[in-house]
Amino acid sequence: QVHLVESGGGSVQAGGSLRLSCAASGSTYYRYRNCMGWFRQAPGKEREGVAAIDTNGNTRYADSVKGRFTISLNDAKNTLYLQLTSLKPEDTATYYCAARLSDAGCFLHQARSERDFAHWGQGTQITVSS
């Protein structure tokens, strides 16, 4: 199984920065062969994709966060990161880490939406005040 645990959320003023971490563990977590992603859900809204990274390190970002957020993966530590800068009140949401596992490699076109990710963390809250 796979266990994902997010951390690093909190409250910050607009313009501030945070770094989220997602520690992955479990006997079926294959390093170097996964797609990992960050999603977020604001109150009353649907969950949306924020950023994703594939086996080759290719990344994709939602238009709303391009240039402000950076996704990265430390394979040695089995940890996914999301660096958030220039935060805005509209970034307020619960942020979730997700994983799509593959022993043959995973690529961005295989991880387009939340339906493509089978494993999820419990979420971490970010609140951005104006």
Side-chain angles (χ1 to χ4, degrees):
Q1 297 301 317
V2 176
H3 192 49
L4 303 174
V5 179
E6 303 97 334
S7 61
S11 297
V12 64
Q13 289 194 332
S17 299
L18 285 173
R19 189 176 80 158
L20 302 183
S21 299
C22 172
S25 62
S27 60
T28 57
Y29 179 76
Y30 297 99
R31 290 179 296 172
Y32 308 106
R33 300 187 176 99
N34 308 321
C35 285
M36 302 291 292
W38 287 99
F39 291 77
R40 67 184 181 186
Q41 187 168 23
K45 295 187 177 181
E46 294 185 351
R47 189 156 54 185
E48 63 174 351
V50 175
I53 186 167
D54 72 8
T55 299
N56 289 337
N58 298 307
T59 58
R60 181 180 65 236
Y61 297 92
D63 289 342
S64 59
V65 307
K66 282 181 182 176
R68 300 189 299 120
F69 293 6
T70 303
I71 188 171
S72 61
L73 180 63
N74 185 322
D75 288 318
K77 295 183 178 180
N78 289 343
T79 301
L80 179 72
Y81 301 99
L82 185 68
Q83 181 69 44
L84 304 90
T85 63
S86 302
L87 281 160
K88 304 175 181 180
E90 51 263 43
D91 295 319
T92 295
T94 300
Y95 284 72
Y96 298 90
C97 163
R100 175 187 172 94
L101 306 189
S102 172
D103 58 2
C106 176
F107 306 95
L108 286 178
H109 70 274
Q110 299 172 298
R112 295 185 181 279
S113 73
E114 63 178 293
R115 296 188 302 273
D116 298 321
F117 291 84
H119 305 278
W120 293 82
Q122 82 290 349
T124 186
Q125 176 68 35
I126 290 179
T127 301
V128 184
S129 58
S130 57

